Amino acid sequence: MAKITLSKLTKRFGEYEAVKGIDLTIADGEFAVLVGPSGCGKSTTLRMIAGLEEITSGEITIGDTVVNDLAPKHRDIAMVFQEYALYPHMTVRKNLAFGLKMRGYKKGEQAPLVQEAANMLGISELLERKPRELSGGQRQRVALGRAIVRKPKAFLFDEPLSNLDAKLRVQMRAELSRLHRRLATTMIYVTHDQVEAMTMGTKIVIMKDGLIQQVGSPMEVYRRPLNQFVAGFIGSPAMNFFKAMLVQRAEGVYVEAASFRVPVPERLCGPYQCVLGREVIFGIRPEDIHSFELLQQQQSAILPECRADSMICGEVEVIEPLGPEMLVLVKCGDQTTVVRLDPRLDLEVGQDINLQLDMEKMHLFDAAHPHARIEAP
Amino acid sequence: MKRANGFFNLGRQKVYWLALLLVLFSAFPFFWMVSTAFKPLREIFVYPPTFLPQNATLENFGRLFEQTRFIAYFKNSIIVSSSAVLLTMIFGAAGAYSLTRFRFKGRDKIANLILFTYMFAPIMIVIPFYVLIKQMGLANTHFALVLAYTALCLPFSLWMLRAFFQGIPLALEEAALIDGASRLQAVLHVIFPLALPGLIATGIFTFILAWNDYIFCRILISSDELKTLPVGIADLYNATVIDWGMIMAGGMLITVPVLIFFMYIQRYLIAGWGAGAIKG
């Protein structure tokens, strides 16, 4: 078990800088997920921690040791690869025991450890098989088993679930979380799938273009994304963005976009004072937009004040029923907005719909380059 | 369903007959050699010839062992061929590994150039090679032969092993490194077992080339006791009376042990191919 620290970590491939001097601390026992689009440097970062990729500059510490110049085998970490990387010429038992053998465990010491790991993952009956005789899910388990068998200081996962079908992925997600609770070992998990990041991580590290965009707990990054990229990346479907202006009127402060004008709650007027009259990006999540009609019918408690003037109108373009909810694409002016609605709502493509925005949950981002969040406490 | 016309319409049986004919055609000289090896001298020149020896005898083999240095030639051939195989596999594997696993300037150019050198016929390089070997003071040694065969086989071996190594995912090696193996251990425990069919194939290729070579041994070796089988047997033709029975017996003894050996290895080779699956 160990704390892992990265400081000013940089990786350059020739001219291309894949990781640009990142700082990150992962506490002992934490499940940290590095998430970001492909090419964001997350896998390179993981491989540098593993020792598979040389560090251009900076420092990596595992526990109390600077591991910059240590070979992978001396870092005492385990890794699960995307394509499993099981040794095809060895049985499952030998695959599990390989790490122990390389570390000088005697035959007699290996057997109980292998058995323990196999029991934990429910693969004891597969021990004599070769990898090619296993299904994808079973291979994944063996790869996990190979990692846990020697009780390393930390686990590294490189998109381990991306080769599994959707159902199995959900199942393995839960299993990994359970495994983390049980082993209480530091885990670093790389994925491009924000759902995996949200569901498994105790800490999410969002990366883009070789830089860390935000670090925080899943709900933290969901509720308070630090820039427009994070806001759009975390959450599915993605947040809706509108170019807008913040204007002061007699009745209060308003967000004015091309096709609508909605009032900013009084609580937020103060903090947003600094961007009055400036161009901003207004963001609102699909789940924070409601059907005005439904709210009225239910005399809903969802919105404390159902103000008619925070309503926008549009035309239903596409309806995607998902069972417990439905996603509706609504065309407002020349922009399409995604809305997550109650499936009981009787909607038809082409009809007009009135939408109520939950302005308490609005987000504002700077329209200038870094697209940083405009803070509202 | 309408069947396709032309060649593919021959029918399975006809194809088998055709194949059998081809096999008979190519196997006949071999059969004739074995048959002659067991015939007494009188029977070899009988007309019309007998297909199978009427009075089978081992006297040809007896003369081969008593009157010639056959055993020494055989030993020389084994030593030279196995050394060439060993050297080719070591250098071939190491070279192919570096061509697939290390990034360096001009890597692919080197790989292509290697194949290009394979286009030179041995006869073109044997004389320059002799001059070189002589200058190094290695003429008339087995080591010179081993060097020659290794040099001849390396391009093909490198090319072949490179393809095999390329087919082995890098992640397997990385997994081994993380599991606690050194690079050498990762290669020995993971890469080599997976590249085994390739290693065996290059081994067989080198062995056959070295075992059958005539031209290099003829040029590089001058002492009779250092000659390998092809040259040794060929020199039996120089006698005033050509002893065909003895030559055929020698020919048979060159071929048969190797044939048996490769029949055994082949089974192993096929088993190796089956184990090559990485990801299903």
Side-chain angles (χ1 to χ4, degrees):
Chain A
M1 291 210 241
K3 179 171 115 171
I4 296 177
T5 315
L6 317 180
S7 69
K8 305 260 174 320
L9 191 65
T10 302
K11 176 68 191 181
R12 218 172 285 127
F13 294 106
E15 293 292 294
Y16 175 68
E17 204 169 26
V19 178
K20 300 172 178 164
I22 59 171
D23 292 294
L24 180 66
T25 304
I26 295 157
D28 186 12
E30 213 160 15
F31 195 132
V33 181
L34 305 185
V35 63
S38 50
C40 71
K42 55 191 191 300
S43 276
T44 310
T45 305
L46 191 78
R47 291 170 57 82
M48 283 194 281
I49 298 172
L52 297 174
E53 209 73 68
E54 249 176 74
I55 299 168
T56 308
S57 68
E59 202 174 83
I60 298 177
T61 317
I62 300 177
D64 306 314
T65 326
V66 176
V67 297
N68 283 22
D69 299 317
L70 281 188
K73 65 171 179 169
H74 294 127
R75 299 191 182 195
D76 196 15
I77 35 112
M79 185 157 166
V80 178
F81 293 82
Q82 180 176 0
E83 56 274 45
Y84 319 132
L86 300 179
Y87 311 123
H89 55 299
M90 300 182 194
T91 59
V92 169
R93 183 188 297 283
K94 283 189 176 154
N95 263 285
L96 293 183
F98 185 74
L100 299 172
K101 185 174 150 196
M102 287 296 114
R103 281 162 206 275
Y105 284 73
K106 303 232 160 51
K107 272 251 162 73
E109 300 167 327
Q110 292 172 15
L113 290 171
V114 168
Q115 197 58 52
E116 188 192 336
N119 289 342
M120 198 185 287
L121 292 164
I123 50 170
S124 2
E125 71 281 11
L126 306 176
L127 282 174
E128 304 315 324
R129 295 215 204 148
K130 291 261 179 82
R132 66 169 179 277
E133 299 164 305
L134 305 178
S135 70
Q138 290 171 329
R139 285 179 208 189
Q140 185 59 70
R141 269 165 219 277
V142 176
L144 272 176
R146 195 172 61 179
I148 66 174
V149 71
R150 56 193 168 77
K151 306 195 167 71
K153 277 193 200 144
F155 292 100
L156 309 179
F157 297 94
D158 190 4
E159 309 217 12
L161 304 187
S162 54
N163 281 341
L164 300 179
D165 61 58
K167 197 174 161 197
L168 208 52
R169 207 177 307 157
V170 174
Q171 204 180 319
M172 286 305 285
R173 232 159 52 195
E175 201 153 323
L176 275 175
S177 295
R178 224 173 290 138
L179 200 66
H180 175 242
R181 270 202 305 282
R182 187 159 172 189
L183 299 171
T185 307
T186 314
M187 295 190 173
I188 306 181
Y189 188 105
V190 161
T191 180
H192 59 264
D193 181 353
Q194 58 94 21
V195 178
E196 279 178 23
M198 294 288 284
T199 48
M200 292 192 290
T202 55
K203 173 186 265 182
I204 298 188
V205 181
I206 299 132
M207 293 185 70
K208 187 197 168 206
D209 298 334
L211 290 169
I212 291 179
Q213 305 292 316
Q214 186 170 358
V215 181
S217 73
M219 283 323 280
E220 236 168 77
V221 293
Y222 173 79
R223 289 205 187 111
R224 223 178 119 261
L226 284 185
N227 58 37
Q228 193 188 345
F229 172 77
V230 175
F233 193 79
I234 298 292
S236 171
M239 189 187 281
N240 296 296
F241 296 110
F242 303 90
K243 266 195 188 155
M245 289 274 266
L246 215 59
V247 291
Q248 175 82 59
R249 291 179 175 266
E251 317 85 89
V253 179
Y254 282 80
V255 171
E256 266 189 21
S259 55
F260 60 85
R261 190 174 77 207
V262 282
V264 175
E266 238 161 83
R267 180 178 74 81
L268 299 173
C269 289
Y272 286 151
Q273 207 69 43
C274 55
V275 283
L276 264 183
R278 265 179 43 201
E279 201 168 292
V280 289
I281 307 280
F282 167 68
I284 186 101
R285 292 199 183 274
E287 46 273 38
D288 297 331
I289 306 178
H290 307 275
S291 154
F292 184 71
E293 281 79 6
L294 198 66
L295 287 180
Q296 275 193 326
Q297 273 173 34
Q298 299 174 335
Q299 297 175 337
S300 170
I302 296 178
L303 294 181
E305 39 175 341
C306 203
R307 289 173 59 172
D309 61 351
S310 62
M311 201 169 75
I312 64 177
C313 309
E315 183 191 323
V316 175
E317 227 178 18
V318 178
I319 301 172
E320 295 178 344
L322 297 176
E325 64 192 24
M326 63 179 174
L327 301 180
V328 181
L329 272 61
V330 177
K331 199 166 164 96
C332 307
D334 55 359
Q335 203 174 345
T336 302
T337 310
V338 185
V339 188
R340 192 193 289 262
L341 291 178
D342 192 315
R344 284 170 297 179
L345 207 60
D346 196 18
L347 283 183
E348 265 173 55
V349 173
Q351 81 169 73
D352 285 334
I353 183 171
N354 293 322
L355 298 171
Q356 173 83 46
L357 309 186
D358 184 354
M359 293 299 283
E360 281 292 330
K361 295 190 178 144
M362 67 178 276
H363 304 262
L364 277 192
F365 302 97
D366 202 330
H369 173 60
H371 298 271
R373 178 183 189 80
I374 295 160
E375 279 302 339
Chain B
M1 205 167 72
K2 210 180 150 201
R3 292 186 64 178
N5 296 323
F7 178 78
F8 297 102
N9 204 12
L10 272 179
R12 197 163 273 265
Q13 220 181 355
K14 280 183 199 154
V15 172
Y16 281 147
W17 281 111
L18 215 71
L20 187 69
L21 208 69
L22 267 172
V23 169
L24 286 179
F25 181 74
S26 34
F28 184 74
F30 182 71
F31 161 78
W32 199 246
M33 175 181 78
V34 175
S35 164
T36 309
F38 288 102
K39 286 177 186 169
L41 271 182
R42 296 175 306 281
E43 200 185 325
I44 292 175
F45 292 103
V46 172
Y47 190 86
T50 54
F51 256 93
L52 293 168
Q54 302 299 308
N55 309 296
T57 168
L58 289 174
E59 63 186 34
N60 293 329
F61 295 91
R63 281 202 314 289
L64 185 71
F65 289 123
E66 279 162 21
Q67 298 171 12
T68 72
R69 286 194 162 131
F70 183 82
I71 297 199
Y73 300 153
F74 201 93
K75 219 167 73 188
N76 292 342
S77 270
I78 292 273
I79 291 172
V80 169
S81 304
S82 334
S83 309
V85 167
L86 199 70
L87 219 60
T88 308
M89 296 231 290
I90 292 173
F91 285 115
Y97 183 81
S98 86
L99 280 177
T100 52
R101 294 298 195 257
F102 299 132
R103 289 175 217 148
F104 52 86
K105 225 177 168 178
R107 185 177 76 170
D108 292 335
K109 277 213 184 69
I110 289 176
N112 289 330
L113 216 63
I114 286 168
L115 195 66
F116 181 66
T117 60
Y118 187 56
M119 294 171 74
F120 287 98
I123 193 92
M124 285 168 71
I125 42 176
V126 66
I127 300 300
F129 194 85
Y130 173 73
V131 174
L132 202 72
I133 286 294
K134 193 151 186 191
Q135 276 170 0
M136 290 161 77
L138 290 173
N140 198 30
T141 61
H142 280 163
F143 188 54
L145 278 184
V146 173
L147 280 184
Y149 299 149
T150 306
L152 276 182
C153 295
L154 257 183
F156 174 79
S157 308
L158 275 168
W159 195 259
M160 175 112 176
L161 286 174
R162 178 171 170 260
F164 265 90
F165 286 178
Q166 271 170 345
I168 300 172
L170 208 57
L172 283 181
E173 218 173 321
E174 292 176 340
L177 290 180
I178 287 184
D179 264 345
S182 65
R183 196 178 265 277
L184 187 68
Q185 281 174 318
V187 170
L188 291 180
H189 289 286
V190 177
I191 303 298
F192 277 8
L194 292 176
L196 198 63
L199 287 167
I200 291 177
T202 51
I204 291 175
F205 173 80
T206 310
F207 191 89
I208 290 176
L209 187 134
W211 187 262
N212 288 340
D213 168 72
Y214 174 82
I215 189 89
F216 276 87
C217 181
R218 176 96 283 165
I219 305 286
L220 297 177
I221 300 292
S222 45
S223 329
D224 192 40
E225 69 271 15
L226 290 180
K227 281 175 189 162
T228 57
L229 281 171
V231 173
I233 297 291
D235 283 351
L236 297 181
Y237 289 96
N238 295 343
T240 30
V241 180
I242 299 178
D243 188 341
W244 284 108
M246 195 166 77
I247 290 173
M248 291 301 157
M252 188 187 132
L253 287 185
I254 294 182
T255 328
V256 171
V258 184
L259 208 69
I260 292 171
F261 177 65
F262 285 130
M263 262 153 64
Y264 167 76
I265 277 277
Q266 200 179 30
R267 226 182 306 150
Y268 198 55
L269 189 69
I270 290 163
W273 280 110
I278 306 286
K279 188 175 141 188

